[in-house]
Amino acid sequence: MILLDGKKLSEKIKVQLLEQSRQLKNENGRSPHLAAVLVGENPASVAYVNNKIRSCRQCEIGSALIKLEDTISEKELLEEIDRLNADENTDGILVQLPLPPHINPDVIASAIHPEKDVDGFHPLNAGKLSFGLPCFEPATPKGIMLMLEHYNISLSGKHAVVIGRSNIVGRPMSIMLSAASANATVTLCHSRTSNLEEFTRQADILIAALGKPGFVKAGMIKRGTVVIDVGITRIEDPTRKNGYRLTGDVDFDNVAPLCSAITPVPGGVGPMTIIGLLSNTLRAAEVK
Ligand code: GUN
C-alpha cells in the first residue's frame, strides 16, 4: 500500500511555484497577489485561510486577508468584491466558504470577475470546465488530479466513483475525471444514491467527499482500490492540546490495508488543495 503524501508533494511543488512567482514578478513588475475574504470567525475557516496566506508567503505571492463581520449584508460583501475586481494589483480573489446563512454563495461566486476567480466557482468557469475549455479549475479536484499524476496513477479506462456532489469538490471532480484529458469512467454518488456499496465496490479509484467522518468502511471497497479522502472534520478529542482531531471520510485503519494507495488525513488532499489555489493565482497573474 502506497501512502499518497500530499504534504511532501506540496512542498516539492511549492519550490516550482516560487520560481514561477519570481518570474511573473520580473514580467509584471510586481508579485502575483491574492485577496482572501473571510466572513465571520468559523474556527476551521480561520485555520484554512491562515494556511492559504502562509503558503502564499512561502511562494512569494502577495496576499491580503480581508476579515469581515458575520453581520455584513450581502450587498456590502458584493461592494467589497467590486472593489477587489477593480483593483489592478489584485490578481485572484477567494471568498472562504461556508458563508453565513443570510448570504447566498451563488450570488457571491457570480460577482467575482471570472479572470480573478481562483476558486473556479463562477458559473462561467464551471461551464468552461464542463465543456473541457481552459479555465480556473476548483482547487481541491485540481490538487487531487496533480497528486494522481505525480504518483503515476493511470485513470484512462478506469472506473472512478465519487461520493458527494458539491460544487466545491464532487461535481467538478467528476467532470475532470471524465474529461478527455483523463478518460476515466465516472459514477457520481450522493446522499440519495440507493445501494451505494454496489458502486463503491466497483471503484478502481474512490473519491470520498461527503463530509461524514469514517463513512467509508472496509466492506465498501474492493482490494487494490486507490482511495482519495477529501473529508476533514474536526472531532472533539480532549487528549489533544487543541481539543480536537481531524478525521477523514474513510475508516483509514481498516480500509488502508486493502488499498493499493490511499491519502492520509491530515497530510493528504488538504495540502494539495492549497497547491491548486496557488497555481490558479499564478495563472491569474499571467492573464494580463
Ligand atoms: N471551503 C471549503 N473548501 C473551499 C475552497 O476550496 N474554497 C473556498 N473559498 N472555500 C472553501
Side-chain angles (χ1 to χ4, degrees):
M1 186 270 292
I2 298 167
L3 198 64
L4 303 170
D5 189 338
K7 188 161 178 0
K8 195 164 143 194
L9 176 56
S10 71
E11 294 305 327
K12 192 171 148 182
I13 296 177
K14 276 180 188 168
V15 177
Q16 297 162 11
L17 297 180
L18 171 63
E19 267 317 299
Q20 283 177 37
S21 176
R22 286 179 175 167
Q23 206 170 327
L24 281 164
K25 184 181 179 186
N26 279 340
E27 288 164 16
N28 296 345
R30 64 162 176 81
S31 296
H33 192 93
L34 174 72
V37 179
L38 176 64
V39 181
E41 290 176 353
N42 173 312
S45 292
V46 170
Y48 294 146
V49 171
N50 286 338
N51 213 351
K52 290 172 184 181
I53 299 285
R54 191 175 332 117
S55 300
C56 278
R57 215 171 288 135
Q58 286 177 312
C59 297
E60 294 178 10
I61 295 172
S63 61
L65 172 53
I66 297 146
K67 289 184 184 173
L68 302 169
E69 300 282 330
D70 63 0
T71 51
I72 191 172
S73 69
E74 189 175 273
K75 184 166 169 280
E76 288 167 322
L77 180 55
L78 289 171
E79 283 163 8
E80 185 61 36
I81 291 169
D82 275 348
R83 187 184 70 74
L84 295 168
N85 280 339
D87 178 14
E88 55 187 37
N89 290 321
T90 296
D91 298 302
I93 303 168
L94 79 83
V95 178
Q96 187 65 27
L97 301 176
L99 287 165
H102 65 278
I103 301 178
N104 182 341
D106 296 336
V107 170
I108 300 306
S110 300
I112 294 171
H113 193 293
E115 285 181 9
K116 296 191 177 190
D117 173 35
V118 286
D119 262 329
F121 296 161
H122 189 286
L124 186 71
N125 281 312
K128 285 181 175 178
L129 185 76
S130 71
F131 277 23
L133 297 171
C135 63
F136 289 111
E137 297 168 326
T140 300
K142 180 173 180 142
I144 292 170
M145 295 302 279
L146 287 171
M147 179 184 246
L148 293 170
E149 192 184 317
H150 172 83
Y151 281 97
N152 290 318
I153 294 169
S154 71
L155 296 168
S156 186
K158 299 287 172 60
H159 187 185
V161 176
V162 180
I163 317 177
R165 57 182 158 183
S166 74
N167 290 342
I168 299 178
V169 186
R171 178 86 54 192
M173 186 83 256
S174 70
I175 292 168
M176 289 162 76
L177 288 163
S178 63
S181 48
N183 287 312
T185 301
V186 177
T187 301
L188 180 54
C189 299
H190 47 77
S191 52
R192 301 293 173 92
T193 298
S194 304
N195 304 320
L196 179 70
E197 295 85 348
E198 251 177 51
F199 299 104
T200 58
R201 276 196 217 107
Q202 291 176 38
D204 300 310
I205 295 138
L206 180 68
I207 318 264
L210 68 162
K212 289 193 178 171
F215 179 87
V216 175
K217 307 282 185 218
M220 293 169 67
I221 66 158
K222 68 176 180 187
R223 199 168 276 280
T225 303
V226 174
V227 173
I228 307 294
D229 190 349
V230 183
I232 183 153
T233 307
R234 289 180 172 208
I235 303 274
E236 269 188 46
D237 184 346
T239 68
R240 301 285 177 106
K241 207 166 66 183
N242 54 12
Y244 67 88
R245 73 191 135 85
L246 297 173
T247 307
D249 288 346
V250 177
D251 175 13
F252 184 91
D253 290 347
N254 294 308
V255 169
L258 299 171
C259 299
S260 59
I262 186 168
T263 58
V265 176
V269 171
M272 293 308 295
T273 292
I274 300 227
I275 294 300
L277 172 70
L278 298 180
S279 130
N280 280 347
T281 304
L282 296 182
R283 183 193 169 103
E286 265 169 21
V287 170
K288 279 147 238 126

